[in-house]
Amino acid sequence: VLLSVINDAVPEGAHSGGVYFMVTSDDAGYQHLPATPAMIDITDDDCPALVGSANMVVPACANSVGDSCTVQCDPGFAPEAAVTTTCQANLEWSVSLPPCIACLSNHFRTTARCVPCSTSLCPVGEFRGACTPTANGACSACPPSQKPNHAYFTSPGLPYNAPNCQWACDDGYLDVNGGSGPCIPLPDPAVRVFGVIGET
């Protein structure tokens, strides 16, 4: 007796079937004697085929009881770690596949990808703001109140995402407190004697 499976990729649950026998003999005493049918129980041992989202790679995994499959979201999508699921005796996977829809922190969404937020420096006098879910962090001006009067910015925000631009006094002005301001006018060169400011 040969039994074969037509399509084992589709879970079909438990089935039973019978194999019936007929006796054929040249001896009239045995010809067409009744034979007890053989009953065969068939149980499908497959979990449903794994189908991931558009932002996930699902490898070709076996899906019989005891088989495991490891899947992972595309780069930039959450969760970042791989997920392993196992086909259980109840024909259900032990762990649901992650949705892979949201971006990781410090990423923003373009049409089809999650892209890391930029950490590059902005131009002098500007700092980079925070990412939004759909846009990179934009450069904004450092607050004018961060520098004293008669001063100009000499760097972008340091670090890149802090409104912490360095500054220097304008020509003709001096920072008398070594970095904390204010910037005061230098004396007229005509009254500088021996290179000492204010000495006449």
Side-chain angles (χ1 to χ4, degrees):
V1 176
L2 175 65
L3 298 179
S4 61
V5 176
I6 302 301
N7 182 6
D8 196 40
V10 179
E12 298 173 350
H15 301 274
S16 62
V19 179
Y20 296 87
F21 302 93
M22 182 178 67
V23 178
T24 301
S25 174
D26 292 336
D27 188 330
Y30 292 95
Q31 177 72 358
H32 301 310
L33 282 177
T36 302
M39 301 304 296
I40 300 174
D41 292 327
I42 302 172
T43 301
D44 193 335
D45 65 347
D46 290 341
C47 286
L50 290 173
V51 179
S53 71
N55 307 314
M56 173 193 298
V57 175
V58 179
C61 296
N63 61 334
S64 296
V65 173
D67 290 331
S68 295
C69 190
T70 299
V71 299
Q72 190 162 15
C73 296
D74 291 341
F77 287 90
E80 186 173 15
V83 173
T84 298
T85 185
T86 302
C87 182
Q88 304 174 113
N90 61 359
L91 305 186
E92 295 181 357
W93 292 100
S94 59
V95 178
S96 299
L97 296 186
C100 300
I101 296 175
C103 293
L104 295 169
S105 61
N106 297 323
H107 287 67
F108 66 96
R109 184 70 181 265
T110 62
T111 302
R113 298 188 302 144
C114 288
V115 181
C117 298
S118 176
T119 58
S120 62
L121 292 174
C122 292
V124 170
E126 297 181 1
F127 72 100
R128 190 171 297 281
C131 265
T132 70
T134 57
N136 196 12
C139 291
S140 300
C142 283
S145 59
Q146 192 182 68
K147 62 179 178 63
N149 293 330
H150 308 294
Y152 61 97
F153 288 122
T154 60
S155 77
L158 299 173
Y160 72 94
N161 58 350
N164 185 34
C165 299
Q166 297 179 357
W167 55 268
C169 292
D170 294 336
D171 289 341
Y173 289 83
L174 176 68
D175 175 14
V176 293
N177 290 316
S180 59
C183 293
I184 63 172
L186 288 169
D188 189 292
V191 297
R192 298 184 201 174
V193 179
F194 306 118
V196 179
I197 298 174
E199 182 177 335
T200 59

